[in-house]
Structures are given as structure tokens and as C-alpha cells.
Amino acid sequence: YGKVAFKGHVTKCKKLRPYGANGFGPGGGPPQAKQDADRLVKKSLRKADHMRELFDRFDTDKDGVLSPEELAACLRNCFPNRPDDANTLAAEFAKADKDGSGGVDFDEFVDYYNQLAGSASKFEEAAD
């Protein structure tokens, strides 16, 4: 293969991946891995803000917890095609209220949201 051919190959690779295949190496900016991590952190923060907006929108009395009626309003708004009879709503509330306190706090709401992630598109649209 020879020195000349190898040098050309290395030069070409440095242009394609200035930080190397693993994200480390010489260069003037942060490694791709750091950029990816920063992007994930920003995405997580946006999602957390979005979840807080959704929670606050349905927490009509602003006490920091969703009552059964508030969670029912959230489910009716976000999932209009789901059954909304009293038994179904009571079961959904029991599923969301993990500590049995009689109210769904923000952490419980996020956990419940993650359980419903498969049908979350309507859920996410509700905060917009």
C-alpha cells in the first residue's frame, strides 16, 4: 500500500471525520459525542417543559396535583376516542396515582404519560 497512499488516505479521513471515528482527536471544535449529548440534554429540557405546560394546563385549581376530575378532563381532551365512563376513568386515575394520595402530582403524571407513550401524539398536541 505504501507511505504515499496511506498518507492520502489519512488526509481524506481527517476531512471526513476530523475527530476520528470515536469522536476524539485533533480539531478546532467539540467532539461529535459532546454535541450529541448537548442536543439530547436540550431535547430532554424541551420535553420536560412541554410536560410541565400540559400538566399546568389541566391543573385548573393550581394546587400542584391533578384531581380525578382534572385527569379525566385531560384524558377526554387528549384521547377523545377512548371510553370515558366513570369506571374507566377511575381505573386510569388509580393507575396514575401510584402513591394513593388522591391526587396525581407532576412526577406521577410524567410516569403515567410515559406509560401512554404509544398513543402520545394526541397527548402532546394538547399542550400546543
Side-chain angles (χ1 to χ4, degrees):
Y1 201 62
K3 258 183 161 177
V4 174
F6 187 71
K7 183 179 177 190
H9 176 76
V10 169
T11 303
K12 183 177 179 183
C13 287
K14 282 185 180 179
K15 286 180 184 174
L16 295 175
R17 293 184 177 203
Y19 301 103
N22 62 358
F24 299 99
Q32 185 64 38
K34 174 147 177 42
Q35 290 172 347
D36 290 344
D38 290 344
R39 193 171 36 252
L40 286 173
V41 167
K42 286 178 185 175
K43 184 177 180 182
S44 287
L45 290 174
R46 281 194 310 270
K47 181 158 180 147
D49 288 344
H50 181 75
M51 292 299 300
R52 177 52 76 177
E53 288 173 19
L54 187 59
F55 181 85
D56 289 344
R57 179 175 178 190
F58 291 101
D59 183 17
T60 54
D61 58 3
K62 305 300 180 205
D63 63 350
V65 294
L66 296 179
S67 67
E69 295 79 21
E70 291 169 334
L71 185 64
C74 177
L75 292 173
R76 283 185 187 115
N77 190 355
C78 299
F79 300 101
N81 295 329
R82 269 184 112 164
D84 65 346
D85 60 280
N87 291 336
T88 303
L89 293 174
E92 292 295 323
F93 185 79
K95 201 184 306 182
D97 184 21
K98 292 188 185 234
D99 63 3
S101 64
V104 177
D105 64 23
F106 182 68
D107 291 335
E108 290 173 327
F109 180 74
V110 171
D111 289 341
Y112 182 64
Y113 170 86
N114 289 331
Q115 287 177 4
L116 298 175
S119 55
S121 61
K122 287 278 187 191
F123 215 61
E124 290 175 357
E125 290 171 7
D128 294 338

